[in-house]
Amino acid sequence: MCWYCGSPITDAHPIGRSLRCQDCGKDLRACKNCRFFLPGSRGDCKETGAEPQSDKERANFCDWFSLDEKYRSQSSGQQKEKEKADSSRAAFDNLFN
């Protein structure tokens, strides 16, 4: 599943830097899709040899990237976070209408 929308990732290995989710368009070769992604650890990565990436949601050139196999199946992704962001954006837009 895509870390953002929850759609299953069906692309074959290796995941190239230019691949995007077919449903939401987010980058697939991003830290949040990696099996080494561990928020709170140094650089949010449990692989000690990896260089810290500044944006965990964007494609990168990390040599340690390995798709976490849990993302090959459907899930809700960050649906709640998306709904909250959409709600906040709508409330902000309504301030000026």
Side-chain angles (χ1 to χ4, degrees):
M1 65 161 192
C2 168
W3 66 268
Y4 187 74
C5 72
S7 297
I9 297 173
T10 57
D11 297 287
H13 288 289
I15 301 293
R17 186 175 187 280
S18 63
L19 284 179
R20 295 181 179 266
C21 176
Q22 296 175 0
D23 294 327
C24 69
K26 296 286 185 182
D27 294 323
L28 293 180
R29 189 184 175 99
C31 292
K32 286 195 171 183
N33 278 336
C34 184
R35 70 183 179 116
F36 296 117
F37 183 64
L38 183 63
S41 63
R42 181 189 161 274
D44 293 331
C45 184
K46 59 184 170 184
E47 178 52 60
T48 57
E51 289 187 31
Q53 302 296 318
S54 59
D55 191 343
K56 310 298 185 229
E57 300 176 2
R58 303 286 312 253
N60 58 56
F61 291 104
C62 180
D63 291 333
W64 294 99
F65 178 84
S66 177
L67 181 66
D68 193 329
E69 290 302 314
K70 70 181 179 186
Y71 294 128
R72 295 253 180 225
S73 60
Q74 183 74 31
S75 83
S76 63
Q78 293 188 345
Q79 192 67 32
K80 289 181 183 177
E81 290 85 353
K82 288 191 317 185
E83 290 170 0
K84 184 178 177 183
D86 291 343
S87 174
S88 298
R89 189 174 302 113
F92 179 78
D93 290 341
N94 288 335
L95 290 173
F96 301 103
N97 291 332

